[in-house]
Structure formats: C-alpha cells, structure tokens
Amino acid sequence: MVAQSGRDAAGPRLIAIVGPQQSGKTTLLEAILARAGAIDRQGRVADGNTLGDASPEARAHLMSVEANVASIDYLGDRYTFIDCPGSVEFQHEMRTVLPACDAAVVVCEADPRKLRALEVVLRELEEAGIPRLVFLNKVDGATAELWDALTLLQSASRTRLLLRQIPIWKDGIAVGFIDLALERAFVYREHAASEVVELPETELPAEKEARYSMLEKLADYDDALLEALLDDIEPPRDRIFDDLSRELREQHVVPVLLGAGERGNGVTRLLKALRHEAPDVSAVAVRLGVPTEGPALAQVIKTSHVAQGGKLSLVRVLRGSFSEGTTVTGSSGAEARVASILRLQGAATTRLSAAQAGDTVALARLEGIATGETIAEGRVAPLALAPVAPPQPVFASALATSDRKDDVRLATALAKFMEDDPSLTVEHRPDLGEMRLCGQGEMHLRVALERLQSRYGVQVSVRRPNVAYRETIRSPASARGRHKKQSGGHGQYGDVVIDVAPLARGEGLIFTDMITGGVVPRQYISSVEAGVREAAGRGPLGFPVVDFEVTLKDGSYHSVDSSDMAFRAAARLALAEALPKASPVLLEPVLGVELALPSEVMVRITGLISARRGQILGYDRRPGWDGWDVVRAQIPEAEIGDLIVDLRSATAGVGTFSARFDHFAELTGKAAESVAQAAHA
C-alpha cells in the first residue's frame, strides 16, 4: 500500500488530537464520535459523561491525565483518534504516541495566555515530523478579528499557517464559514452537519482576498499554480486539493480550520479534510525507515494495566498482520505471545481475530515489552524505530506505607505505574531511609497516588523528600577513646589516640595509620578504621561526616582482653570526642540547574532564583527557539523541591528545568541551626 498523497490514501488512519490544556480536545473527540455515529449523543466534560476521560481521576480534576483512544468508521474508512493530555505534566503520553501517527489535529483558541503552550506542542510535532492541521476552536465565542487571531497563532508556528476557511458573521457571532478551496458557504447547525447556503454577497470581497492568499501560499511550492495566478487563470479545483494534500504531507503548510467542538460545528469539514488530505500508514513507514519486506512489525505507543484484562499494549501495525497466539519479540529482546487483540473505544474493548497494517489495536499480555519499543513477529529482535526517552523528573515525594505488610503491594503497584507511564520513576535512597516517587509535577504525582489508593488499595504517607546534608570540620583536633569493660572472665579493652584534620571538598574520609612500636597491634588497625568510618556516619550535627582525615597515632592494648570489637568501639568513642572540638560545619548539596523559559518572564525568574538562595551563572538564547532563554544557575537542593510549581506558575505552564548535583557548600546561621535541630528531634 503506497500512497503518493493524502488524496490517494487508503486503509486505517491514526490521528492524534493535541493542543494546550483546556483547549477542547476531549470535547472535539466527543463531537467527532457523535458525528460519525460511534456514540448516540455527544457528552460534556463538565457533566462527566464523555467517552474519553473516563477514569475517576480525569473526572475529578476535569482534565485528561492519559491518552484516550476511540475509533470511527467514516465514509468507508476507519479512523482511530488518540486524545492526548494538554497538561505539560502528562505530555509524555503525546510523545510516545506521535511517531506512529499519520497526522495530528492541533486544537487551540486565539488566547495569548496559551500561546507559549501551543508553541511547545507545535514544536513537538515539527520535531517528530508529523503533518498537522489546526482546529481553531470556540469560534462561537471568539472576540478577536480572524486575521489578528491568525497572526497571533503564526507566532507560535515555524511552519506557515494556511487559512482554509473564513467565518460568516451575524451580529458579531460566527454563524457559519466559507470553505476557500470549495468556494462554498456553510451555516452551522448545532450537533449536526453544516448546511450549504448561497455565498453571501457581503462576504465576497473577504472570500476573494482570503482565497487568493491561500493560493499564493500554495503556489510557493507549485510552479504551475504560480504561473496560473500570474496569468490570472483560475486553477482547476483538483489541482488545489492535490496541492493541499501534498503540502500538508510535506509539512510546507499547516491548514487552519474553524469550529466549535462543544456545538459540533466544523467537525464534518475537519473529517473530510483528514479523509482527503492526511497520509496513511505507508507514509509513517517511510518516515520511520520501515523496509517494505519483512515480518509483521508494530510500534508500541502506550501501555496500560486494566482490572480485568491485565497488561494491554497499544500498538500501531506498520507492516504485515498479527493474529492471536503470534509470538513476537520486542526491540529489547523480550519475547511474548499475543494473548488477544482488542480494539479500544474509551474504556470498552472489542475482540478481533487479527490486525492489519494501519490498524491501531491493543495486544494483551506482552510481558517484558515496554512503551516505545518496536515489536516483530518471530524470535528476532527488531531495531527500535522510534525510542522516546522519558523526561527528567522535576518533582518528587517520599512515600511510606502505614503498614509494612503493604510494602510488597506498593512495589508491585509502582512497577505497573512505571510501565503505564514511563515519565514516573521510583528512586530508592538508602542513605536517607526513603523511597521517592518522581514525576513531572505536583498534579502528576497526585493522580498517581490517587490511583494507588483506588486501584490497589494501598495507603501511603507522603512527605517532602529529605535533603542529603553532610557535615565536615574546619580545624584539627585530637582525642583519646578508651573502651574498657570487665564483667567476669575475659574483659574488653581497646585504647586509641587519633588526630582529625579537614581536607579539601570532595576528598571524602582518609584514614592514616601512624602507629610505631606496636602499641596497637597490626591485627586491630583495620578494626580501628572500621570504627572510625562507622562513627563518621553520624556526626555531632546529625549527618554523615566527609572531607576529613583521621590519623591513628597512639594507643594501648591488653594481651588478653583486647579484640577487634573493643578497638572498633574505642575508635567510635575517639571520633565522637574529636569531632565536636574540630569546629564542625553543615554542608548542603547544591545543584546545577538549567531553566528554559520564555524571554518575557526573565525578570520574574531571576527573582525566583534569588529568593531560593540561588546564584545565576549566566543565560543565553535557547537554540532554535525565538523568544526563549536558558538560564544557568546553582540552587541548594533544599530549595528545589517545589521549584517547578513556581516556575510553571510564572510561565503559563511551559517553563521547565533540569538539575544535577554540583557540589557541597557550607551552611551556617539560623538555617543551619534549624536543620541540625530537626536532625536531633
């Protein structure tokens, strides 16, 4: 199946619905399903009765928290739509879906407050090489002039926007539209297909101007069309549609369609544009480098664990066909057997006997195969066609079960969570005695914890993660430690004298033996070092001690009562006495942080960094992102916990950062006192 243009495309299509949060994506999907007859009546997000966003968490928060899948049959073709979350905290769901999609519908509105979020979404599509159309939603309530709205949206797109329709206004309300390619006027009907009407005389000048502008943009990539325009010859309608489909597929332009998902307006024309202009799976195969010949091949775009069916792997079949019982191998080398093939319709499933190239289906029980892998029929691992690395976590919470018996259930649940959502990670910190759940923001973790309770019945306590403080010394000191105990029979005796001295940052703990004359026998030296290192695990301020040297210089022993245990205890006593005399000081971890943000909020972000005791090292323009900056700073780990919350608040949800450990710095004054007091509480 080779399609040279969208107008020649055939077979099942996969379309992503993407866009900023609260732009109306789930509502548009609902309108599409209703228009195609896949559901009896269009639901509303506010009423909690949509086919998508059916999870309790999505209903409770009135937002998409995972990708929703639904299919329609429209004019003889099958279309699967994946409604992707708009929140940046759940955007990894979109990233894993996009590589297998034929095209994307970008749902947006002419709202300057959401412009940066739209820019981020469009950049993701551009970098993934996905043909895309813009559905300018909520035109029934639009207040901006259309050309002003288009100019605003163009600032978010590096690819030229191509206006396909203009609204028909009546008393300041958009009551219909004119299709510039068809040169036909349509009047909106609520929850029904638009009605063709005669093109109003009053709209003719605007229609001529907008149509010529559309043709001019198309002619930039079609010399024959350019010549026709220069010669004032009306181009054939078929040529215009061929250009529209070709230039969409080659990503020269981004068509802009109008509508109002809540009322079902503009949905039919959107579906027809997808039918005539969007490419099919053959174009995806070319984009991903899939050879024509070979075993059946599919891309895993989402994983979910459901109560009844166990693990489901949502895949797009790129080549060949899969049947129940087929043995497949993932790009990681794991083998699995397809237990069943299911078509997803929201939370409902329909069992299928096979899946052909182009189909988007769920394969059951592909254990060991993860989202982002490529699977092939047989026992030979295929190359990964479109691996998607999860983003670095930016928010974390420390978890603990209220009952130790729940630890195994918690571990099992979290393992499934990370399979379902690779942007969630679990970090074990034995040095701090805690387990952390890490993710993309406060809401991201809140939803995960709600699911932990509702799906697995695991109750956990949640708190802010501890900070890995350390302490060191500023001056040298000496101390004797003598462990002497007599309780009948053999006693215990160990006696050591040590010097402690500060070292440069990063040197750790260095133990030096300076014993002469055998005052401490050689067989006990290692026990002395072990005792020192054990005692250094908790210094006088309550934290591990680092960057100092311990010199064993003297001591004594008893020929009968001395032992490894006694000298180990003596070393602990000596260090416990020496450290408080050596001017101990607290060390806090400082992270190197790189923040990406729109330039217009730079002043607010520099203030935010300063308020968190951070130091700005410099800033540059973000490469390839006009109007964005990258700020490099150093911020104490203690101040980084909720940084992402304030950063997103200041940047309309689009700011982000990456962080890594840089160094330890001394912490003094009241801040150090409060930390030490908490450690001894």
Side-chain angles (χ1 to χ4, degrees), residues 40 117 210 340 365 394 408-409 416 569 652:
D40 294 332
S340 58
R365 310 286 174 83
V394 293
V408 173
R409 292 169 62 204
K416 291 180 179 179

Side-chain angles (χ1 to χ4, degrees), residues 472-479 498-503 547-551 553 575 577-584:
T472 191
I473 57 175
R474 287 173 164 171
S475 60
S478 298
I498 62 171
D499 290 340
V500 296
L503 293 174
D547 302 337
F548 72 112
E549 182 177 19
V550 177
T551 302
K553 66 176 186 178
L575 192 64
E577 183 179 336
L579 290 176
K581 299 188 294 184
S583 303

Side-chain angles (χ1 to χ4, degrees), residues 8 19 197 262 342 577:
D8 300 320
V197 297
E262 188 79 37
L342 304 170
E577 183 179 336

Side-chain angles (χ1 to χ4, degrees), residues 18-76:
V18 301
Q21 189 174 1
Q22 304 297 325
S23 58
K25 300 178 296 298
T26 302
T27 299
L28 177 62
L29 174 60
E30 194 76 3
I32 288 171
L33 295 173
R35 184 60 45 82
I39 56 177
D40 294 332
R41 181 181 177 186
Q42 181 175 338
R44 297 179 70 247
V45 172
D47 295 337
N49 60 357
T50 55
L51 182 136
D53 286 354
S55 72
E57 299 79 25
R59 295 272 200 254
H61 298 295
L62 295 178
M63 62 181 289
S64 297
V65 297
E66 61 189 330
N68 295 288
V69 185
S71 298
I72 64 170
D73 288 309
Y74 184 71
L75 298 180

Side-chain angles (χ1 to χ4, degrees), residues 425-540:
T425 58
V426 172
E427 181 183 0
H428 294 276
R429 291 294 301 265
D431 58 324
L432 299 173
E434 67 185 24
M435 176 177 67
R436 297 176 177 178
L437 180 63
C438 310
Q440 302 308 306
E442 191 176 29
M443 180 60 74
H444 192 206
L445 295 198
R446 185 188 305 175
V447 168
L449 294 172
E450 289 170 354
R451 287 179 171 169
L452 193 62
Q453 168 91 38
S454 62
R455 296 186 184 182
Y456 298 95
V458 179
Q459 187 73 41
V460 295
S461 60
V462 181
R463 61 168 174 79
R464 189 168 180 163
N466 289 324
V467 176
Y469 291 106
R470 298 291 184 264
E471 56 184 274
T472 191
I473 57 175
R474 287 173 164 171
S475 60
S478 298
R480 177 183 290 274
R482 179 176 289 162
H483 177 71
K484 185 176 182 180
K485 194 172 184 182
Q486 193 71 41
S487 57
H490 286 303
Q492 297 180 33
Y493 183 87
D495 176 35
V496 297
V497 179
I498 62 171
D499 290 340
V500 296
L503 293 174
R505 199 73 65 241
E507 292 289 327
L509 191 166
I510 298 176
F511 178 83
T512 304
D513 168 24
M514 298 293 289
I515 292 296
T516 58
V519 292
V520 177
R522 304 306 304 169
Q523 68 265 32
Y524 299 134
I525 300 298
S526 61
S527 298
V528 175
E529 181 177 357
V532 165
R533 293 191 180 278
E534 184 179 329
R538 184 177 174 87

